Amino acid sequence: RSAPGAPRESSTRRRSSAHEPTARIDSTATAVFPAPLAIIRPVNARELKSKVDALASEPDRLRRRLVALGALTACLEPARIEPILVGGCALELYTQGGYSTGDVDLALPVSPKVDAAFADLGFEKSGRYWVRRELDLLFEAPAPAGLPGETAPRTELSIDGLRVVILGVEDLLLD
C-alpha cells in the first residue's frame, strides 16, 4: 500500500502527451504509445491519393503498406473512423520483417465512408479486399467484428506525416 498522495501504479497504459519524447522506429517513423484520435483537420483527398500513387517507386513493401494505411487513416479521420492494423502485417512490423504476410488486415466497421475512402485512394473492391495491384497492396477490410483492436491498447506511428494505428504487441500475440 502506498503513502497518501503518492502516485499509484496502473495496469493500463497512460495516454501520451505532446511533451513526452517519441521512440525512434527508424529514420522515417516514430512511435507514440498510445495516443488519442488526433484533432480533426481538413483532408485533401487528391493530395493523399497522389501520395499513395507515388508509392510505385517505393521498394520497401512494408513502407508502402504503412504509407497507404496512413493515407486511409487521414481520409477517415473526419468521420472519426480509425483503421487499426491487426494480424500478420502488424506482426511483420513488430518483428522487423521476421514474419511476412501477403495482405494487410484492418479492424474497421462496415461503412459507405470506408468504401469511399478506399475508392478515393485508387483502390478497387474485390470481395472482402481492397486492392491496388500496381502497388502490390491488398487490404482486408473490414476484418471480422469483435477483434481485440477495437478496445485494446494500441501503438501509433507517424510515417511521412501520416498517422498509423497498430494493435498493441501484447494483444496481437494473444490473438
Side-chain angles (χ1 to χ4, degrees), residues 4-175:
R8 294 175 146 187
E9 287 189 26
S10 172
S11 62
T12 59
R13 294 182 183 169
R14 64 185 179 84
R15 297 264 183 219
S16 174
S17 77
H19 302 292
E20 292 178 325
T22 57
R24 291 305 289 165
I25 299 296
D26 63 28
S27 63
T28 59
T30 57
V32 179
F33 305 94
L37 195 58
I39 296 171
I40 307 294
R41 62 187 176 280
V43 172
N44 184 331
R46 186 176 301 154
E47 189 176 296
L48 290 170
K49 183 177 183 303
S50 293
K51 195 166 225 171
V52 173
D53 292 344
L55 293 173
S57 63
E58 174 57 58
D60 185 304
R61 184 177 72 158
L62 182 57
R63 182 168 165 64
R64 273 195 317 270
R65 291 172 168 183
L66 293 175
V67 171
L69 177 53
L72 178 67
T73 301
C75 281
L76 292 170
E77 191 173 25
R80 293 198 166 284
I81 298 173
E82 182 174 71
I84 302 167
L85 181 61
V86 298
C89 188
L91 189 57
E92 184 175 345
L93 175 73
Y94 285 126
T95 62
Q96 298 177 1
Y99 177 86
S100 185
T101 185
D103 68 348
V104 178
D105 300 312
L106 300 176
L108 267 176
V110 175
S111 165
K113 291 178 182 179
V114 171
D115 294 345
F118 271 114
D120 287 349
L121 294 173
F123 284 82
E124 293 181 5
K125 182 97 169 156
S126 178
R128 67 179 191 250
Y129 294 98
W130 286 95
V131 182
R132 289 275 314 249
R133 282 179 176 71
E134 77 281 11
L135 300 177
D136 190 27
L137 293 174
L138 178 68
F139 284 75
E140 183 178 359
L147 288 172
E150 295 172 4
T151 58
R154 303 163 185 178
T155 300
E156 183 176 298
L157 298 179
S158 175
I159 184 159
D160 283 1
L162 299 168
R163 188 171 155 272
V164 174
V165 180
I166 306 139
L167 179 65
V169 67
E170 299 88 355
D171 289 280
L172 179 67
L173 294 175
L174 291 174
D175 187 40

